[in-house]
Amino acid sequence: MSTPQPPALHPDSLVVAAGRPHGPGAPLNEPVVLAAPYRHDPAADVNAYVRHQSSATVEAFEAAVGALDGGDAVAFASGMAAVAAIAEGQPAGCVAVVPDAAYSGSVAIFDEQQRMGRMQVRPVDIADVGAVTAALDGADLLWLETVTNPLMAVADLPALIAAGHAAGATVVVDATFSTPLVVRPLELGADVVMHSATKYLSGHSDLIMGVLVAAPERAADLRLRRAMTGGFPGALESYLALRGLRTLALRMQRAQANALVLAGRLADHPRVTRVRFPGLPSDPGHAVASRIHEGFGAMISFELSGSAADAERVCEALRLISHATSLGGVESLVERRARHAIDAAHGTPPTLLRLSVGIEHVEDLWADLAQALDR
Ligand SMILES: *Cc1c(COP(=O)(O)O)cnc(C)c1O
């Protein structure tokens, strides 16, 4: 595959400029086209049905994400539809190396592929390059997360991508936690990058969407798969996702600055036994993140002394920070991840709270955390 060229504009400009209609008289924003079929065009050899031929609204979002990640973007109805397009698109008998603790939905889909006898899954600690390399013997697919959800292991992408390719595997990177502003896996040689656009890209917790980005030939295959299996996203969602994407750079700047402050203060709090955040020099992922990421993201996982019930009480005592699943929105969210059976089964400590740091004033966020921890 040819390595996509780095974008000519800074990513902070691309989030604003990419995916706009151009030409005299064009609207500044691609309109929301709400149509399933289009009128038959005798001059065009296309299936004029939106799932097959796509729509200008969806393509505007794809153009922007593609420009950011340096590839050809294919949008999906959810992050999981994007994960499924990869997992279900592998030939029967595929050997997949996956993180031993990854996003619960991805774990579930790979486990299901294995249960159905379609895939052999090898879970591995992706922070351990040697272990991944050993597991890659005879593998067809290497699935990575830039930073694992929720244990915050940081993937050494250049080393892991090289190991994956040396073994002949396709390397797919879920970059949901990082966004293209923090790391662009295609520039580091990955074959496909995946985002849950539900999270940072759209940024307002008001829609569900996903996206895969790859070189044009692979993207064309993924488009055919999307047309066949029906994971095509809605036009309203695509419009909102692109509108949200316009402020991604500003949102990330603030959220990351907030996270850096909060992680340091949490680490000093007597009730907190461990903070998992690559921005802390003591974090096992700090060196790798400092080398390959621009910024440390805005996700923090931290563990509390006491019981799971105590940790739940902290979540309930928060006022500004909402007790809810999901992440990547302007508003801060917290969740005890071991509530989910898959996370608990894959080593998430019972009192681990995953905090998605939003763009509120950092002192209001800290005051909220402090009052909940101190009661
Ligand atoms: C949320 C999430 C997904 C799944 O995306 P949906 O949009 O919820 O379907 C995949 N990977 C990661 C890391 C996520 O956080």
Side-chain angles (χ1 to χ4, degrees), residues 78-81 83 103 106 145 149 174 176-177 194 196-199 208-210 327 354:
S78 70
M80 284 317 300
V83 179
Y103 173 67
S106 306
E145 290 181 0
N149 180 1
D174 180 342
T176 300
F177 266 36
M194 175 260 156
S196 167
T198 311
K199 316 291 170 56
I208 185 161
M209 259 183 87
L327 59 109
R354 187 188 69 187

Side-chain angles (χ1 to χ4, degrees), residues 51 76 81 84-85 88 222-232:
R51 172 161 52 75
F76 285 83
E88 297 173 1
L222 291 165
R223 270 198 192 90
L224 288 176
R225 171 155 289 276
R226 180 182 68 178
M228 181 169 61
T229 57
F232 194 78

Side-chain angles (χ1 to χ4, degrees), residues 336-353:
R336 191 179 70 83
R337 279 305 292 188
R339 294 177 68 249
H340 302 272
I342 291 186
D343 283 37
H346 286 79
T348 298
T351 67
L352 180 144
L353 301 185

Side-chain angles (χ1 to χ4, degrees), residues 84-110:
I86 297 294
E88 297 173 1
Q90 301 302 313
C94 161
V95 175
V97 175
V98 306
D100 57 4
Y103 173 67
S104 56
S106 306
V107 170
I109 210 160
F110 284 114

Side-chain angles (χ1 to χ4, degrees), residues 5 151 163 244:
Q5 295 305 302
L151 297 183

Side-chain angles (χ1 to χ4, degrees), residues 2-368:
S2 64
T3 310
Q5 295 305 302
L9 289 173
H10 290 89
D12 297 38
S13 302
L14 282 177
V15 298
V16 177
R20 291 193 186 276
H22 32 81
L28 268 177
N29 299 298
E30 192 65 59
V32 182
V33 179
L34 293 173
Y38 291 68
R39 287 186 194 283
H40 177 66
D41 177 356
D45 180 26
V46 293
N47 186 342
Y49 187 61
V50 72
R51 172 161 52 75
H52 286 279
Q53 77 157 35
S54 190
S55 85
T57 318
V58 175
E59 285 171 0
F61 172 75
E62 290 175 335
V65 177
L68 278 168
D69 260 320
D72 196 349
V74 185
F76 285 83
S78 70
M80 284 317 300
V83 179
I86 297 294
E88 297 173 1
Q90 301 302 313
C94 161
V95 175
V97 175
V98 306
D100 57 4
Y103 173 67
S104 56
S106 306
V107 170
I109 210 160
F110 284 114
D111 283 356
E112 173 73 357
Q113 290 292 306
Q114 175 153 276
R115 240 188 329 270
M116 292 191 302
R118 288 198 66 256
M119 191 180 269
Q120 186 193 324
V121 178
R122 295 180 186 161
V124 63
D125 175 7
I126 63 157
D128 184 344
V129 175
V132 176
T133 305
L136 277 166
D137 185 37
D140 306 287
L141 177 70
L142 173 59
W143 181 272
L144 297 170
E145 290 181 0
T146 52
V147 181
T148 61
N149 180 1
L151 297 183
M152 305 297 292
V154 179
D156 185 344
L157 289 178
L160 295 172
I161 291 165
H165 286 165
T170 301
V171 182
V172 185
V173 181
D174 180 342
T176 300
F177 266 36
S178 301
T179 84
L181 299 182
V182 170
V183 67
R184 291 177 291 281
L186 296 186
E187 288 179 4
L188 301 175
D191 300 295
V192 185
V193 60
M194 175 260 156
H195 301 280
S196 167
T198 311
K199 316 291 170 56
Y200 289 102
L201 298 189
S202 64
H204 294 73
S205 303
D206 55 2
L207 62 88
I208 185 161
M209 259 183 87
V211 61
L212 296 172
V213 195
E217 204 170 309
R218 194 185 296 272
D221 284 349
L222 291 165
R223 270 198 192 90
L224 288 176
R225 171 155 289 276
R226 180 182 68 178
M228 181 169 61
T229 57
F232 194 78
L236 281 175
E237 281 79 358
S238 299
Y239 182 90
L240 287 170
L242 182 52
R243 183 180 161 117
L245 188 74
R246 298 301 185 208
T247 56
L248 178 65
L250 283 176
R251 288 187 282 108
M252 285 303 284
Q253 218 169 54
R254 170 65 86 97
Q256 292 190 101
N258 283 353
L260 207 53
V261 172
L262 296 179
R265 293 191 191 172
L266 283 167
D268 287 339
H269 195 280
R271 276 197 71 186
V272 176
T273 56
R274 178 171 177 186
V275 177
R276 299 165 186 250
F277 178 69
L280 293 178
S282 57
D283 190 87
H286 181 71
V288 172
S290 302
R291 179 159 45 83
I292 66 172
H293 292 180
E294 295 165 48
F296 297 109
M299 296 300 300
I300 302 172
S301 288
F302 60 103
E303 291 158 53
L304 300 174
S305 57
S307 65
D310 294 335
E312 288 281 342
R313 272 190 285 278
V314 169
C315 295
E316 284 302 311
L318 291 163
R319 299 185 194 115
L320 174 60
I321 301 170
S322 299
H323 185 189
T325 194
S326 200
L327 59 109
V330 290
E331 70 296 312
S332 297
L333 301 178
V334 76
E335 185 183 31
R336 191 179 70 83
R337 279 305 292 188
R339 294 177 68 249
H340 302 272
I342 291 186
D343 283 37
H346 286 79
T348 298
T351 67
L352 180 144
L353 301 185
R354 187 188 69 187
L355 175 63
S356 171
V357 179
I359 65 169
E360 302 92 337
H361 195 290
V362 69
E363 295 305 336
D364 293 335
L365 290 173
W366 177 247
D368 196 27

